[in-house]
Amino acid sequence: MAHKPRVLVARAISPEVVQKLEQHFELESNQQDLAFSPEALIARLQDKDGVLSTGTQLIDAPLLAACPRLRIVANMAVGYNNFDVAAMTAAGVQGTNAPDVLTETTADFGFALLMATARRISESEHYLRAGRWKSWRYDMFVGAEIHGSTLGIIGMGRIGQGIARRGAHGFGMKVLYHNRSRLAPEIEAECKASHVDKQQLLAQADHVVLVLPYTPENRHTIGAAELAQMKPSATLINIARGGIVDDAALAQALRERRIAAAGLDVFEDEPAVHPALLSVPNVVLTPHIASATLGTRRAMAELAADNLIDMLIAGRPPRTPVNQPDAGAAQARAGLGAGVHGKT
Ligand code: GLV
């Protein structure tokens, strides 16, 4: 009897999804949640046909060359900047991501971070816990208005649109957005959002929210020059990816109060956080948790699992591909996997 395809689950995921994968695959799961070094990851992937990755495992040309049977890398993340997409395509390896299932949860978090930042919730809680609250003052921890203010969104994909809807419909905000391409008029109308250039957005927004994908061109979309264009009363929120903001420049702008505050869920060198950010009070810092509800994390893992099943069991294209692998190279990998599994 032919063996089941072999799959690695690279980090701990919802146990229900591990059980589902076990029904289809010869599974190596990492429920102890070890963070594999690149060498350890390669060692585990050398005999695997697929891997469920979490967005933190680098999938590059050396790994692909060392893992000749690997056919699919299924990220349980919407972002896939851990993939060298060109190398995967040339090597015949399918990449998939996990869009849509996290949109509303992530938009909720983006809005929560905006509110916590603008209304100084973390900073004032630290003050209280430190026993420094002695009396009421009219100007104690005064923050920025949210309702009726101007929201600027850079990166107006599904999550950006979710934040726009929350701002426009829930808080009566004027919504400006900047995106590579302008949205269809009906989506602009639904989000009550106006397309502007980046300079206009930075100059006019009271709150700037970053939701764009990381690409080398998007590196430091917000650096010293852009921070200088923002209002001194403005807040900046990054729920996109580390590296989109120049963290050192941001820490300096916060320290010098050139903008009022920032809320960051992602960092240039995460899980390390720039020490200068840790020493300024006017920043809310969270450890990359924008999609973190149990239901959403499970749905993300389910989608990654479905992509693995589509390709390795059902023999059909995965439902959320991010590339179209070279057919010849993909066939060679499939043949290698089938031969090896048949023999064992
Ligand atoms: C999280 O950052 C994701 O890309 O899903």
Side-chain angles (χ1 to χ4, degrees):
M1 195 180 77
H3 268 251
K4 292 174 174 177
R6 293 174 181 156
V7 163
L8 173 74
V9 180
R11 294 295 300 259
I13 59 168
S14 312
E16 301 87 345
V17 183
V18 173
Q19 281 162 21
K20 169 171 168 160
L21 286 164
E22 274 167 352
Q23 289 167 20
H24 298 278
F25 300 112
E26 198 178 302
L27 199 71
E28 180 178 341
S29 68
N30 177 13
Q31 290 300 85
Q32 312 98 302
D33 208 29
L34 307 171
F36 299 137
S37 67
E39 297 73 30
L41 183 63
I42 286 176
R44 285 179 163 79
L45 288 182
Q46 269 168 346
D47 66 345
K48 300 297 186 297
D49 303 284
V51 54
L52 191 155
S53 52
T54 57
T56 50
Q57 297 81 27
L58 182 63
I59 307 297
D60 58 5
L63 179 142
L64 298 169
C67 304
R69 287 174 224 159
L70 190 65
R71 294 176 59 200
I72 171 168
V73 184
N75 247 10
M76 59 164 284
V78 64
Y80 50 92
N81 53 306
N82 57 317
F83 291 176
D84 179 338
V85 175
M88 289 170 72
T89 300
V93 174
Q94 179 73 65
T96 64
N97 68 341
D100 300 325
V101 290
L102 78 181
T103 299
E104 299 302 330
T105 300
T106 304
D108 282 348
F109 184 87
F111 218 85
L113 191 54
L114 163 56
M115 296 191 69
T117 303
R119 297 301 308 272
R120 305 177 65 179
I121 287 177
S122 298
E123 198 185 346
S124 59
E125 187 190 351
H126 286 135
Y127 174 90
L128 179 153
R129 284 180 186 271
R132 294 169 60 198
W133 182 27
K134 300 296 177 213
S135 65
W136 184 92
R137 260 189 71 92
Y138 82 98
D139 60 351
M140 186 166 72
F141 290 108
V142 290
E145 295 297 4
I146 295 164
H147 71 274
S149 65
T150 298
L151 174 62
I153 301 175
I154 302 184
M156 194 67 159
R158 291 161 283 219
I159 298 169
Q161 291 167 32
I163 293 172
R165 286 196 307 272
R166 283 160 177 75
H169 298 283
F171 291 82
M173 295 169 98
K174 173 178 172 185
V175 180
L176 307 176
Y177 78 95
H178 180 68
N179 201 42
R180 248 177 333 178
S181 46
R182 193 166 168 176
L183 299 177
E186 58 276 16
I187 299 180
E188 284 191 352
E190 189 199 325
C191 296
K192 298 191 182 178
S194 310
H195 187 254
V196 293
D197 66 30
K198 189 171 143 193
Q199 283 73 17
Q200 280 175 289
L201 184 144
L202 292 172
Q204 291 175 27
D206 297 305
H207 308 287
V208 175
V209 182
L210 305 173
V211 209
L212 63 171
Y214 184 86
T215 60
E217 305 77 61
N218 288 345
R219 181 168 184 274
H220 290 186
T221 293
I222 301 292
E226 289 74 21
L227 290 160
Q229 291 170 48
M230 291 172 64
K231 296 180 182 180
S233 55
T235 57
L236 175 71
I237 306 300
N238 186 8
I239 57 163
R241 272 290 180 274
I244 287 177
V245 174
D246 177 342
D247 286 350
L250 174 61
Q252 192 172 347
L254 289 167
R255 191 177 319 106
E256 295 169 3
R257 305 269 167 180
R258 282 191 274 112
I259 66 167
L264 306 174
D265 187 48
V266 288
F267 303 89
E268 277 199 276
D269 195 22
E270 64 185 58
V273 177
H274 196 296
L277 283 172
L278 293 171
S279 66
V280 284
N282 46 343
V283 60
V284 181
L285 305 168
T286 53
H288 204 144
I289 55 166
S291 65
T293 66
L294 273 182
T296 291
R297 286 282 164 85
R298 177 176 167 171
M300 292 161 76
E302 286 264 5
L303 179 49
D306 286 338
N307 277 313
L308 289 160
I309 293 165
D310 284 342
M311 182 156 167
L312 297 176
I313 303 295
R316 58 175 171 248
R319 50 201 77 187
T320 51
V322 302
N323 67 338
Q324 192 162 8
D326 175 84
Q331 207 155 16
R333 283 179 178 267
L336 199 53
V340 168
H341 297 323
K343 262 191 257 143
T344 49

